[in-house]
């Protein structure tokens, strides 16, 4: 677990990160979202000590990071930045292997790990490994940046606007890759973005930053349904709120017992996917199955519609 204790960073007497206390559960993705200059990058860089706090502290698994050797700490935390920061005169494979090499891994281990990561990111090791950064597309270079950050099997991955330079199609693919990687490796990820849609899509939790503080720190559905302040509401936007909420809610918890004809949807699919399938195939209820194809029950249209309705005002 990563925890902030009254974490503060001041420049010239101004708190750009202001007394933030929060914790981030192991194996989750937290998206830190906010306007430019709200302190997101400063916050992130205090975790791997690229920036030292003015007061307060960061703990990882109960240990204050200021008491850990700086270089070892940085090697144990993956870090991905916009622009990927690849060494231009090194091949993709050598870029990926940089931290394992510094940690003294054997060459054969580094080569095996590099090939494994390239395959995980759906790149052909024989084809992409020997290329130099200028011979890669933006999407490929971004994946190499992610592979490099994951090379030494870090428990924590910090990402600062990692998809900012990608076109929308590649960006969606990169977001899907990240979800899949997180699912497979169980890495704790903190991702800085100023795109609320990206935050809602990827985050198990979202921290909305403004003027150095967390204005709201909550699961995505709560951010959409119950924005804590007008600023959060403005970031979320009013457009398509119901469909957004449905896209954040899995089918599983809304199952009913019963049977229905036709192809099933997965229990992990979102309610918006299920609704879309209903509209597309003209059905009012769909069978639901788990990953192995076992039928679990049905999802009803009426249940989807009520799940997307605003909670009754109190
Ligand atoms: N070394 C520094 N000296 C003085 N002020 C700084 C320094 N680094 C950052 N700041 C200021 O701290 C504030 C927060 O900066 P930070 O880069 O953390 O914001 P951000 O939310 O990541 O912004 P962006 O989305 O534009 O990257 C800004 O007002 C910035 O100008």
């Amino acid at each position: 677990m990563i925890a902030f204790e009254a974490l503060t960073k001041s420049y010239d007497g101004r708190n750009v990160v202001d007394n933030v206390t929060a914790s981030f559960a192991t194996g989750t993705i937290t998206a830190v979202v906010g306007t430019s200059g709200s302190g997101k990058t400063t916050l992130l860089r205090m975790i791997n000590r690229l920036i030292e706090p003015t007061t307060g502290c960061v703990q990882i698994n109960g240990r204050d990071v200021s008491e850990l050797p700086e270089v070892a700490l940085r090697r144990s935390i993956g870090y991905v930045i916009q622009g990927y920061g690849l060494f231009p005169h090194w091949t993709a494979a050598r870029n990926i292997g940089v931290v394992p090499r510094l940690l003294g891994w054997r060459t054969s281990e580094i080569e095996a790990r590099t090939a494994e990561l390239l395959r995980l990111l759906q790149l052909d090791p024989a084809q992409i490994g020997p290329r130099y950064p200028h011979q890669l597309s933006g999407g490929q270079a971004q994946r190499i940046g992610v592979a490099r950050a994951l090379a030494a099997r870090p428990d924590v991955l910090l990402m600062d606007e990692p998809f900012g330079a990608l076109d929308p199609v590649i960006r969606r693919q990169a977001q899907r890759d990240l979800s899949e990687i997180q699912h497979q490796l169980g890495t704790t990820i903190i991702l800085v973005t100023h795109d609320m849609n990206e935050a809602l899509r990827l985050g198990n939790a979202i921290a909305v930053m403004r003027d150095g503080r967390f204005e709201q720190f909550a699961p995505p559905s709560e951010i959409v349904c119950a924005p804590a302040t007008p600023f959060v509401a403005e970031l979320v936007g009013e457009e398509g709120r119901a469909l957004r909420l449905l896209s954040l809610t899995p089918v599983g918890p809304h199952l009913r017992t019963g049977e229905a004809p036709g192809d099933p949807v997965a229990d992990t699919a979102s309610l918006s996917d299920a609704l879309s399938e209903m509209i597309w195939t003209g059905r009012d209820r769909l069978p639901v199955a788990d990953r192995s194809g076992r039928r679990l029950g049905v999802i009803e249209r009426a249940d989807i519609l009520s799940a997307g309705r605003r909670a009754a005002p109190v």
Side-chain angles (χ1 to χ4, degrees), residues 11-12 14 16 35-42 194:
Y11 290 112
D12 311 320
R14 189 172 73 93
V16 299
T35 45
S36 187
S38 55
K40 305 181 296 294
T41 296
T42 307
H194 46 237

Side-chain angles (χ1 to χ4, degrees), residues 43-310:
L43 185 92
L44 197 73
R45 290 175 159 216
M46 284 194 277
I47 301 172
N48 62 3
R49 293 186 59 195
L50 286 171
I51 295 177
E52 297 289 351
T54 307
T55 56
C57 72
V58 176
Q59 295 180 350
I60 298 184
N61 297 329
R63 298 188 65 187
D64 185 338
V65 296
S66 70
E67 288 162 12
L68 302 173
E70 209 174 315
V71 173
L73 173 81
R74 227 164 275 149
R75 286 179 191 166
S76 74
I77 296 178
Y79 185 44
V80 182
I81 54 172
Q82 187 176 349
Y84 333 118
L86 300 178
F87 298 111
H89 53 291
W90 285 5
T91 63
R94 186 152 182 222
N95 266 287
I96 294 171
V98 63
V99 175
R101 202 170 302 114
L102 289 168
L103 292 172
W105 290 23
R106 282 200 306 272
T107 306
S108 57
E109 277 178 313
I110 298 173
E111 284 172 2
R113 178 66 177 156
T114 302
E116 181 190 6
L117 283 163
L118 284 167
R119 278 193 294 268
L120 179 72
L121 290 156
Q122 293 161 48
L123 296 171
D124 178 356
Q127 198 193 359
I128 300 295
R131 289 205 197 159
Y132 288 88
H134 75 271
Q135 298 169 317
L136 300 170
S137 71
Q140 289 166 338
Q142 192 275 340
R143 286 176 198 201
I144 302 300
V146 173
R148 183 176 59 174
L150 291 170
R153 300 191 178 85
D155 294 330
V156 174
L157 180 62
L158 308 178
M159 309 184 88
D160 196 346
E161 291 280 354
F163 311 128
L166 302 180
D167 73 54
V169 174
I170 305 289
R171 190 171 175 137
R172 276 309 292 268
Q173 182 60 44
Q175 292 168 349
R176 277 194 287 269
D177 287 351
L178 184 69
S179 292
E180 186 57 30
I181 286 167
Q182 199 274 338
H183 191 71
Q184 283 191 29
L185 306 181
T187 316
T188 306
I189 298 175
I190 302 187
L191 169 110
V192 162
T193 174
H194 46 237
D195 177 351
M196 183 53 106
N197 283 326
E198 183 164 283
L200 290 170
R201 206 171 288 137
L202 290 175
N204 301 107
I206 296 180
V208 180
M209 270 194 101
R210 186 188 194 194
D211 295 338
R213 290 174 172 262
F214 280 7
E215 193 126 323
Q216 187 169 10
F217 184 28
S221 55
E222 207 174 309
I223 299 271
V224 172
C225 287
T229 64
F231 175 73
V232 179
E234 199 187 319
L235 273 191
V236 172
E238 290 179 0
E239 219 171 279
R241 264 184 303 198
L243 292 178
R244 240 176 204 191
L245 184 59
L246 293 182
S247 75
L248 295 170
T249 315
V251 164
H254 296 273
L255 272 181
R256 288 179 184 270
T257 51
E259 287 173 16
D263 288 337
V265 287
D267 58 336
T268 50
S270 68
L271 291 179
S272 70
D273 288 339
L275 183 62
S276 166
E277 182 65 16
M278 284 176 182
I279 296 168
W280 191 247
T281 59
R283 292 181 285 173
D284 289 338
R285 59 194 333 229
L286 304 176
V288 178
D290 66 13
R291 269 184 176 223
S292 66
R294 192 169 56 97
R295 300 282 168 132
L296 303 173
V298 295
I299 179 81
E300 303 268 0
R301 187 182 58 180
D303 290 336
I304 298 180
L305 297 186
S306 60
R309 208 162 290 148
R310 182 176 64 152

